[in-house]
Structures are given as C-alpha cells and as structure tokens.
Amino acid sequence: MIEFLNQYWPNLAGTVTGGIILSALFFLLKERLFSLPQVTGVWEVQLITEKTEYNPFNGLKLWYQVTLIQNVTTFSGIGELDRECSREGTRFYIKNGRRPVEIQGTIEKRLTKPDLIHILWSEMGSERRFSNAFTLNVSGSKTSGGLWGRYTSTAAKSTGHSSWKRIT
C-alpha cells in the first residue's frame, strides 16, 4: 500500500494542482476577458451637439435621466429630458415639461477591441417625434464605469458627443 502511494502520489498531486490552476485560469478569462458590460441601472446622459442643420442647436447641451434593464446582450429602458443649456441660458424641465424617451440597445462583444454599446432611442420633441442613435465605448469598470461616444439625431440632422454617468 505505501509503495502504491509513493508511486502514484506525485501524479495525483500534479493532476489536482493542474486542475485547480486551469479552473482559476478559466474563471479569470470568463470574468475579465469574456464578461459583458453591465448597463442595468439609472444613468445621467449628456449630449453635446457639435454639428447641426439648425444653427440654434450648435453647442446645445442636453441632460437626460434614463433607466436601463439588461437581458444578456440586449437592453431597453425609459428616460426623460432633465435640462438643457443653450445660448439663451440653462432651462430645467420639471413635472409635465419633461420629454419622455424610449430606449432599445445591444451590446457588441469584441475580443480584440473594447466592447461597443449601440443604442436607439425615440423621443417626442416639442413639434414631432425624432430618434437618436448612439455608438458608445465603456470607460472604466464593466460593472460600474461610464459610457462615452458619438450620437446622430434626426432632430435637425444633428451629431455630437455623448457621455453616460451611472447614478445607481
């Protein structure tokens, strides 16, 4: 019996050690390299208009508060316009003055580049419904970081920069 243990113990110990190391490696790869960004939560969204066909929108800054719910690589949400800063000053939207937003999005998992967040939202403007399309990058942690990127809007054919800060 002792001879049997002496003969096979090094192989058994090596196999168990190798199994533990491989399990740890697969866990780290799954959690760090292959994990998806988590977008569920409440966000403050800022849009800065950089180019538009309607001159008063140039330099316009808009802030929204949105809530997102994620289901693996897709998500949806709702939100509303909170405030704006234009050449005429800052305007806060309260109660009935807030414009509702409906949001649909997908997460594009990329192995060799940062993951991308694609968002399409629909908003009822003061005169008509319009849409914004976003392509965003994750900044910082995939679970608690922010989002930043570009947007294109059908409102006066506007384009600009967008940043998303997680509130909760």
Side-chain angles (χ1 to χ4, degrees), residues 91-129:
R91 179 178 178 188
F92 291 88
Y93 292 91
I94 53 173
K95 297 184 182 180
N96 296 336
R98 293 183 174 212
R99 297 192 318 232
V101 175
E102 296 174 3
I103 301 166
Q104 298 292 320
T106 61
I107 299 170
E108 180 183 344
K109 180 69 188 151
R110 304 189 315 171
L111 295 178
T112 59
K113 298 178 183 175
D115 300 335
L116 290 179
I117 309 293
H118 300 283
I119 296 173
L120 180 63
W121 86 15
S122 176
E123 178 177 350
M124 187 62 207
S126 58
E127 296 182 22
R128 67 177 178 89
R129 181 168 291 284

Side-chain angles (χ1 to χ4, degrees), residues 46-130:
Q46 182 185 40
L47 297 140
I48 301 173
T49 304
E50 296 169 346
K51 185 178 176 185
T52 180
E53 288 187 350
Y54 183 59
N55 195 38
F57 285 178
N58 273 324
L60 178 67
K61 294 180 184 177
L62 301 170
W63 285 268
Y64 295 81
Q65 186 167 343
V66 301
T67 303
L68 302 177
I69 303 288
Q70 182 175 345
N71 183 8
V72 190
T73 60
T74 63
F75 56 90
S76 61
I78 57 172
E80 55 190 14
L81 179 63
D82 185 53
R83 65 191 183 278
E84 70 178 46
C85 183
S86 66
R87 294 176 186 158
E88 285 115 32
T90 301
R91 179 178 178 188
F92 291 88
Y93 292 91
I94 53 173
K95 297 184 182 180
N96 296 336
R98 293 183 174 212
R99 297 192 318 232
V101 175
E102 296 174 3
I103 301 166
Q104 298 292 320
T106 61
I107 299 170
E108 180 183 344
K109 180 69 188 151
R110 304 189 315 171
L111 295 178
T112 59
K113 298 178 183 175
D115 300 335
L116 290 179
I117 309 293
H118 300 283
I119 296 173
L120 180 63
W121 86 15
S122 176
E123 178 177 350
M124 187 62 207
S126 58
E127 296 182 22
R128 67 177 178 89
R129 181 168 291 284
F130 62 92

Side-chain angles (χ1 to χ4, degrees), residues 11-29:
N11 290 337
L12 179 63
T15 301
V16 169
T17 302
I20 291 170
I21 290 170
L22 277 176
S23 295
L25 180 63
F26 286 139
F27 175 78
L28 288 174
L29 283 173

